[in-house]
Amino acid sequence: MVTAPSLHTARRVAAEVPDPELPMLTLADLGVLRDVRLASDGTVVASLTPTYSGCPAMAEMRADVAARLRGAGFAKVEIRTVLDPPWSTDLITAHGRRTLREYGIAPPGPAPRRTPGPVPLVLGAPRLAVGCPRCGSADTEETSRFSATACKSLWRCRACREPFEHVKEL
Amino acid sequence: MSDDTDDHVYLSLAEGHDDGDSRWAFGTGFEDPLHGVDTSVPDGVDPAEVAAVCLALGDDALVSAQRLAQWCTRAPELEEEVALANIGLDLLGQARLLYARCGQVDGSGRGEDAYAYTRDAADFRNVRLAELPDTDFAFCVVRLLVLSSWRLALFGRLALAADPVLAAVAAKGVAELAYHRQYAADWALRLGDGTEESHRRMRAALAEVAPYLDEVLEAEPPFAVRADQAGPSGDARHTGDADAVRRETLDVLGQVLSAAGLDLPAVPALPGSGRRGEHTGHLAPLLAELQSVARAHPEATW
Ligand SMILES: [Zn+2]
C-alpha cells in the first residue's frame, strides 16, 4: 500500500526551498511562502507572494517549489500568486534575520508603516542607523541605496572598515 | 527529481513544465505574473476603464524602464548605474503586472508580451515625458522626480481601487515608488544645491521637462476605477477629488525644488497627449530597439 504524502510533508518541503537571490534564506524565512494546503482532490496548493514587482526570481521560485513538491511524491501541484497584502521585510522571520547577519548581511529594521494615501516626503533626514553585521559597530554609512539586487543597499563600516550589504526596509 | 539536495533553483527551469516544454525566446518567456490570482472583475466596475488605466500606467512604466536601462554603462558612477537599473526593474515588474491585468479585462486575452512587443507607437498610451531621450544625468533626475512623485501620489490612491488586482498592484508599487522618489529627490538636492555647473544643468533640465508637466498632471485615470470617491470619510483621498494627485505632486516638487534652490519654470504646456497616442518622434525608435528581436523571430522558443 502506498501512503499518500501528508500536508505536513508538503509544508516542510515547500518551506525549505531556498530563495534564488538570498540562498542562505528559505522562502519560509523570507515570508514569501504564504500558505500550503491540500485540496480535496489531493492537489497541493502553495501560495507565494513576490518581494518586488520586478522580482525576476518569481518564476524560478514557482518552478522550484512545484518541482520539489513533485519530487517529494505529490502528483498534483498548483502554485498561486498572492499580491495582497503586499510583501514586507517585516515578514522575514527571526531565524531569517539571524541567518542574514551570520552571512554578513545587515537585516532590515522595521518597515515604514503604509496606509493608503499620501506618502510623506522626507528631505535630508538622517537615515536609520544600521549596525555592522561583522563587528556590531553603529558607526556605519550608506554608500548606495541600491545594490546587486533590488532588495539590498550598500554600506560601509567605519570601525572595521568592511563594506557590507543591508536588506532595505520595504 | 534526480537530486533533491541540489539547491540550484535555476535547474528547475530545465525540467518539465506544466505549461509545455518550450518558452518563447524573448521577453519574459515565463508564466503570466498574475498566475493563480483571482482575476474576476467586481460588479459595478467597468472592465474597459480598468484596462485603459492598466495600459496607460503599464506603458509609462515600460517606456521609463527602457530609458533607465539605457544608462547602463553610461551613468556617472557605478552606484548610480545600479540604482537606475534597479528602479527600471521595479517599473518593468509593475508593467508586467499591469499588462497581464489589461489582457484579462480588455477582452483580448493577450499576454504581457503582446503588449510590450507587438504594438506600434500610436497604440502606446504613455505620457510623452517618459519617452524623451536622456540628454543629461540632471534630466534623468528631474524626469524621475516628476514621474515618481506623480505615480506615487496616484498609486497611494489606486491602492483603494475597486478592482482588486489593480489595487494590489498599486499597493505593492507604493513602497517601491517611495524609494524612487527619494532617490530622485536626494539627487535633485545634491545637484541643485551643488556647484554652479550642476545647478545650471538642473535648471536646463527643468526647462526641458516643464512643457510636459501638464500632460502628466492631467493624466488621471477615470474615476470609476477608483473606489476612493465612494469612501466613507470626508478627507480628500476619499472624496474623489480629481485634483488631489495633481496637488500632491506639485506640493512634493515644490518642496524638493525649493530646498534645492530651484524653481519650476512657468511655461505653456505643449499641445497633444501621449494618453491619446500622440507621441514625439522619440517613441518609435525606442520601441524599434525594444521590439526588434521579438518581431524578427516571433515564434522562437528555447
Ligand atoms: Zn564593522
Side-chain angles (χ1 to χ4, degrees):
Chain A
M1 182 186 145
V2 180
T3 318
S6 69
L7 176 60
H8 178 77
T9 308
R11 287 203 167 124
R12 186 180 50 77
V13 169
E16 284 171 358
V17 175
D19 176 67
E21 289 187 346
L22 296 167
M24 73 291 286
L25 297 188
T26 65
L27 297 187
D29 285 333
L30 202 54
V32 158
L33 183 69
R34 279 277 160 90
D35 184 49
V36 180
R37 63 184 60 198
L38 224 41
S40 52
D41 69 347
T43 303
V44 179
V45 181
S47 301
L48 303 181
T49 191
T51 50
Y52 283 72
S53 300
C55 178
M58 200 58 201
E60 283 81 352
M61 289 184 200
R62 276 202 299 261
D64 202 46
V65 171
R68 280 167 184 254
L69 284 168
R70 278 194 291 268
F74 295 93
K76 284 183 284 186
V77 176
E78 188 187 326
I79 311 293
R80 287 192 187 153
T81 306
V82 181
L83 294 177
D84 181 38
W87 181 80
S88 152
T89 45
D90 287 350
L91 295 169
I92 299 176
T93 62
H95 176 260
R97 285 159 199 272
R98 220 162 37 239
T99 309
L100 281 172
R101 206 176 280 110
E102 282 163 14
Y103 278 79
I105 300 173
R113 214 174 128 263
R114 299 276 178 222
T115 50
V119 177
L121 177 75
V122 181
L123 290 176
R127 308 261 181 254
L128 199 70
V130 171
C132 172
R134 287 189 173 76
C135 73
S137 169
D139 188 14
T140 61
E141 60 180 337
E142 188 183 59
T143 51
S144 174
R145 183 72 51 78
F146 295 87
S147 170
T149 62
C151 61
K152 287 176 289 184
S153 53
L154 285 177
W155 289 68
R156 176 162 52 207
C157 175
R158 292 201 194 88
C160 72
R161 319 288 294 171
E162 289 290 331
F164 65 90
E165 290 184 305
H166 163 61
V167 175
K168 290 186 288 193
E169 295 75 20
L170 187 85
Chain B
M1 274 201 84
S2 53
D3 183 0
D4 257 352
T5 61
D6 197 320
D7 277 357
H8 198 309
V9 298
Y10 293 95
L11 286 181
S12 59
L13 289 174
E15 293 163 2
H17 302 291
D18 292 350
D19 52 344
D21 280 334
S22 58
R23 299 171 183 284
W24 194 43
F26 311 108
T28 63
F30 298 120
E31 294 162 90
D32 152 4
L34 292 178
H35 184 83
V37 171
D38 177 6
T39 56
S40 54
V41 180
D43 290 344
V45 174
D46 179 358
E49 284 196 343
V50 175
V53 171
C54 288
L55 189 67
L57 294 175
D59 286 348
D60 281 352
L62 179 71
V63 172
S64 296
Q66 183 72 0
R67 284 293 178 217
L68 288 163
Q70 288 173 338
W71 280 99
C72 279
T73 73
R74 296 173 58 227
E77 290 176 346
L78 181 60
E79 283 75 9
E80 305 323 315
E81 196 167 297
V82 171
L84 296 174
N86 270 306
I87 292 170
L89 186 60
D90 283 344
L91 291 171
L92 191 62
Q94 293 176 12
R96 291 187 58 193
L97 293 163
L98 290 161
Y99 287 151
R101 183 52 170 162
C102 192
Q104 290 166 352
V105 295
D106 72 359
S108 71
R110 283 175 289 181
E112 45 174 324
D113 288 336
Y115 292 95
Y117 293 118
T118 65
R119 288 180 303 142
D120 296 325
D123 302 324
F124 273 72
R125 292 294 177 267
N126 58 283
V127 290
R128 290 171 296 176
L129 181 57
E131 73 207 31
L132 300 179
D134 280 289
T135 47
D136 191 27
F137 184 66
F139 177 83
C140 173
V141 167
V142 172
R143 165 166 51 195
L144 184 62
L145 180 66
V146 169
L147 291 180
S148 63
S149 297
W150 175 78
R151 197 170 173 92
L152 179 56
L154 179 66
F155 273 38
R157 292 164 175 88
L158 280 181
L160 301 163
D163 179 58
V165 179
L166 180 57
V169 171
K172 184 139 197 63
V174 163
E176 297 163 356
L177 291 162
Y179 273 104
H180 304 176
R181 188 182 70 178
Q182 189 70 54
Y183 175 84
D186 286 349
W187 267 109
L189 285 184
R190 191 165 154 191
L191 295 176
D193 192 24
T195 64
E196 215 170 282
E197 172 67 3
S198 70
H199 184 84
R200 183 189 66 75
R201 283 160 71 166
M202 283 297 283
R203 286 176 60 103
L206 280 162
E208 257 189 282
V209 166
Y212 295 94
L213 181 62
D214 245 34
E215 180 188 343
V216 176
L217 298 176
E218 289 300 336
E220 291 244 0
F223 269 83
V225 172
R226 295 167 45 174
D228 51 2
Q229 79 267 34
S233 87
D235 72 56
R237 71 169 197 265
H238 287 297
T239 55
D241 178 348
D243 246 11
V245 174
R246 165 189 279 269
R247 275 202 315 273
E248 185 187 326
T249 308
L250 287 174
D251 180 51
V252 166
L253 293 179
Q255 283 181 59
V256 175
L257 295 180
S258 101
L262 294 161
D263 295 302
L264 203 56
V267 294
L270 216 68
S273 173
R275 294 287 190 234
R276 296 190 299 266
E278 299 154 4
H279 291 285
T280 67
H282 300 295
L283 182 61
L286 177 147
L287 293 176
E289 185 181 46
L290 189 151
Q291 300 173 338
S292 59
V293 182
R295 288 201 190 239
H297 305 279
E299 304 300 329
T301 56
W302 56 273

